[in-house]
Amino acid sequence: MERWQLVQRQNFPLDAKIILTEKRIREWVDYYGTYVSYSGGKDSTVLLDICRRLYPSMWAVYCDTGLEYPEVREHVKQTLNVEWLKPKIPFKEVLQKYGYPIISKEYADYIHRLQRSPDNEAIRNKVINGICVSGRPTSFKLPQKWHYLIDSGIKISADCCGVMKKSPLKSFEKKNKLFPIIGVMAAESKRREQNYLKDGCNAFNLKRPQSRPLSIWTDQDILQYIVMEKLPIAKCYGEVVPAGGQLSLFDPPLLETTLCKRTGCVYCGFGCHLEKEPNRFQRLKVTHPRRWEYCMKPMEMDGLGMKPVLLAYGVKIE
Ligand code: SF4
């Protein structure tokens, strides 16, 4: 699929997107009979609502990582028919064993590989110079501005998601012979956009097949749906209110949440350097000061030791 086709679909009215989403869900369920990977965030709350209008007993599975806002956990507790999974080890142990998830998955993974094998010339050449073993340029090169992190003494890695979320879900899928429906949108990141362009909504051909029927939705669609259906969402988002203005004359008025814009993992360091101030850690200090303390305290004092990591990485924490 070409990018213009995605943009065209992203501009469909919400009614049309709901019809398309329902169609993709039906196709997936007919093929696999399945479950919703449910995070308790607003996107997956919308997804679960659409799925359960079609299939009222649709299973939802929540991975209880201990990294969610307490309000999100509370929201999940109030949702019926949810299976709770737990990762094998806690987040703190993931940080100690593998490293901190910072910058982006791709960069963290390459820094980790180099930190693990500092004398491996092939990896060094690839990461630092962008040259592969055959001497040809690679599509990847770690930007110069992050090189100092390689020898900074800060352990960095992208393994956290795998241990905390993917592994418990994979075990569940293997045991129950199911493949997930997940609430991600192409508009969220380059990687998700590329995935959509390559596989469409229903990725039947992947090693771990998955359905992403909200792919062509935008954040505004999610908010419109929540208002339209009077859908309860986690309290940490606050209210959904008019934001003032609209994208075009033909679009509905823009909406926003009064508190959190995103939830996700409270202590995640991925992408926080790109956020406008107040960033997620500055906001956390105001909304959940005890969690902020725990996050910043050194490991020896029973914290997560993230203060020096975030400061070294140029992220303001207060
Ligand atoms: S989103 Fe961040 S904190 Fe959450 S599991 Fe993935 S890497 Fe870890």
Side-chain angles (χ1 to χ4, degrees):
M1 188 185 300
E2 299 295 327
R3 192 165 182 281
W4 66 265
Q5 291 170 296
L6 167 63
V7 174
Q8 190 182 49
R9 288 172 195 196
Q10 284 170 329
N11 282 308
F12 285 173
L14 182 55
D15 288 355
K17 287 180 181 174
I18 294 172
I19 292 170
L20 265 177
T21 296
E22 289 174 346
K23 189 165 183 276
R24 295 292 168 257
I25 292 168
R26 280 202 198 90
E27 285 166 4
W28 193 258
V29 172
D30 283 352
Y31 198 78
Y32 285 121
T34 191
Y35 79 96
V36 172
S37 176
Y38 182 54
S39 71
K42 60 181 170 32
D43 305 353
S44 72
T45 298
V46 167
L47 175 64
L48 187 61
D49 188 68
I50 299 175
C51 286
R52 286 196 172 162
R53 279 166 195 262
L54 298 172
Y55 303 96
S57 57
M58 170 82 77
W59 220 354
V61 176
Y62 170 71
C63 199
D64 185 22
T65 60
L67 291 163
E68 296 77 15
Y69 281 96
E71 295 89 343
V72 169
R73 236 173 147 258
E74 213 36 60
H75 178 67
V76 176
K77 276 189 194 164
Q78 285 162 16
T79 311
L80 295 175
N81 198 11
V82 178
E83 175 89 7
W84 287 56
L85 306 179
K86 278 247 176 234
K88 282 206 178 103
I89 58 173
F91 184 57
K92 187 168 174 175
E93 212 174 311
V94 172
L95 299 182
Q96 287 166 322
K97 196 166 169 189
Y98 301 97
Y100 288 87
I102 60 169
I103 320 175
S104 68
K105 283 189 184 169
E106 195 175 32
Y107 292 165
D109 186 45
Y110 276 96
I111 293 175
H112 179 66
R113 287 199 214 177
L114 203 45
Q115 288 183 333
R116 212 177 35 191
S117 318
D119 301 326
N120 187 320
E121 274 311 307
I123 297 179
R124 185 163 288 273
N125 229 356
K126 194 171 174 183
V127 175
I128 303 290
N129 304 320
I131 297 170
C132 63
V133 185
S134 64
R136 276 187 308 196
T138 59
S139 56
F140 176 85
K141 189 175 163 186
L142 185 69
Q144 178 84 34
K145 67 173 180 174
W146 302 124
H147 285 189
Y148 73 95
L149 286 169
I150 298 167
D151 301 313
S152 63
I154 297 169
K155 235 169 146 181
I156 295 168
S157 132
D159 290 333
C160 179
C161 263
V163 180
M164 300 298 288
K165 291 182 177 171
K166 285 191 190 140
S167 172
L169 286 170
K170 275 189 193 164
S171 306
F172 170 86
E173 287 164 16
K174 203 169 163 197
K175 188 171 148 209
N176 295 288
K177 299 190 174 48
L178 293 173
F179 294 106
I181 304 181
I182 60 175
V184 296
M185 300 180 287
E188 287 175 292
S189 70
K190 260 274 149 280
R191 182 187 283 229
R192 287 184 177 169
E193 180 182 303
Q194 280 161 3
N195 287 344
Y196 176 75
L197 297 180
K198 190 158 70 69
D199 305 310
C201 283
N202 285 345
F204 290 103
N205 54 347
L206 295 184
K207 202 169 152 202
R208 182 184 170 224
Q210 51 183 233
S211 171
R212 312 162 191 135
L214 299 182
S215 286
I216 59 171
W217 288 47
T218 63
D219 205 38
Q220 281 301 311
D221 296 320
I222 296 287
L223 296 174
Q224 299 287 352
Y225 186 93
I226 290 167
V227 171
M228 190 171 83
E229 299 300 336
K230 298 187 176 59
L231 199 61
I233 51 174
K235 289 200 168 49
C236 51
Y237 288 110
E239 304 288 321
V240 179
V241 295
Q246 54 195 132
L247 289 175
S248 79
L249 268 181
F250 307 103
D251 286 306
L254 290 172
L255 298 171
E256 64 180 1
T257 51
T258 50
L259 299 175
C260 287
K261 306 297 168 212
R262 63 171 287 282
T263 49
C265 296
V266 175
Y267 310 122
C268 189
F270 282 145
C272 53
H273 59 299
L274 302 173
E275 288 179 351
K276 284 194 204 129
E277 289 188 37
N279 63 37
R280 73 190 71 163
F281 293 102
Q282 290 170 317
R283 285 197 307 271
L284 187 67
K285 185 164 190 204
V286 176
T287 58
H288 299 77
R290 283 174 58 193
R291 288 194 172 229
W292 184 90
E293 283 290 336
Y294 169 68
C295 174
M296 301 303 162
K297 255 197 294 184
M299 288 232 177
E300 317 78 73
M301 289 171 67
D302 258 351
L304 295 176
M306 288 193 71
K307 184 174 178 175
V309 178
L310 294 170
L311 291 179
Y313 157 48
V315 174
K316 290 197 178 155
I317 56 169
E318 52 191 325

